[in-house]
Amino acid sequence: MSVPVLHGYWRSSAVYRVRIALGLKAVAFDQVAHDLLAGEQRDPAYRAIAPHGLVPALEVDGAVLIESPAILEWIDQRWPAPSLLPADPLAAATVRAMAALIACDIHPINNLRVLKALKHDLHATGEQIEAWTHRWIGEGFAALDSMIEAHGGTHAFGDGVTLADCYLVPQLYNARRSGLDLSPYPHLVEAGEAAERLPAVAAAHPDRQPGANP
């Protein structure tokens, strides 16, 4: 198998998820950086790889995978150990629900192109955009904190790292950048910080990636 090539942007939370998963599996990979702020994701050369013009995209053995949920599921199947999903189907569904809470209910309405649209198309002020961001992260985090209280142990689900942690850590990074008060979500923060202390997760941090701002 050839070395996977991850197309991304250093601060993209969707790409961050994939880096975490690859790191937890101890999979070597190359990275190609695309500056989202400069619009490089819309370049025809990149669209030839990823027609949707978004990151991440993962090139592997002549194929291209897009959308982080699909990529993460593929990674977990391709390299089964350590598994990022519990063996029990109900437990696995709970982990997927935690991940989807972030991937479907928080991230899409707070990603870069949505925030740009709020600013340029709807003329939202910086204060309004911050309120928008905090509203949707806060609502999602409140639900996720309850789920982690019910199902968590050392990590978001039980005592092993799962897909839920792959999603949680990048969203915590975004929440901190936005200045959100995290005190109402103690279980979520504790689980996120436990994952962040793992060497493979720490290595995936945005500040340690190609193209990161000093």
Side-chain angles (χ1 to χ4, degrees):
M1 179 179 179
S2 60
V3 175
V5 177
L6 178 62
H7 293 264
Y9 175 62
W10 65 281
R11 209 159 57 189
S12 163
S13 58
V15 180
Y16 194 174
R17 301 166 192 163
V18 176
R19 290 196 303 265
I20 290 173
L22 290 169
L24 291 170
K25 303 284 188 175
V27 176
F29 63 99
D30 294 330
Q31 294 195 67
V32 177
H34 303 271
D35 188 343
L36 302 190
L37 297 180
E40 291 179 0
Q41 71 277 19
R42 296 188 294 273
D43 187 274
Y46 180 62
R47 283 191 179 272
I49 298 169
H52 65 336
L54 299 172
V55 295
L58 187 69
E59 289 189 276
V60 56
D61 288 344
V64 178
L65 303 174
I66 63 172
E67 298 294 347
S68 61
I71 295 172
L72 288 168
E73 291 270 358
W74 178 83
I75 289 170
D76 200 40
Q77 292 177 11
R78 176 60 182 80
W79 294 281
S83 178
L84 297 177
L85 284 169
D88 177 72
L90 284 175
T94 300
V95 169
R96 286 188 172 100
M98 290 178 168
L101 206 159
I102 292 172
C104 300
D105 299 336
I106 299 176
H107 174 255
I109 50 178
N110 284 295
N111 68 12
L112 180 62
R113 60 178 179 169
V114 169
L115 298 183
K116 279 187 171 182
L118 290 174
K119 179 178 180 180
H120 298 295
D121 298 349
L122 301 179
H123 310 294
T125 64
E127 291 77 10
Q128 290 171 323
I129 291 173
E130 181 180 277
W132 169 279
T133 301
H134 288 184
R135 172 184 175 181
W136 299 117
I137 297 178
E139 288 191 13
F141 272 12
L144 187 56
D145 192 71
S146 296
M147 295 182 74
I148 294 174
E149 182 180 13
H151 301 287
T154 304
H155 296 291
F157 186 94
D159 294 324
V161 181
T162 66
L163 286 178
D165 301 285
C166 294
Y167 284 81
L168 172 58
V169 168
Q171 194 59 58
L172 263 177
Y173 171 79
N174 286 348
R176 292 183 182 117
R177 285 187 59 239
S178 76
L180 179 70
D181 176 14
L182 295 173
S183 61
Y185 322 110
H187 309 287
L188 182 153
V189 171
E190 184 177 1
E193 290 178 347
E196 289 168 342
R197 288 192 290 269
L198 298 173
V201 177
H205 192 279
D207 290 350
R208 301 177 67 175
Q209 307 312 310
N213 289 341

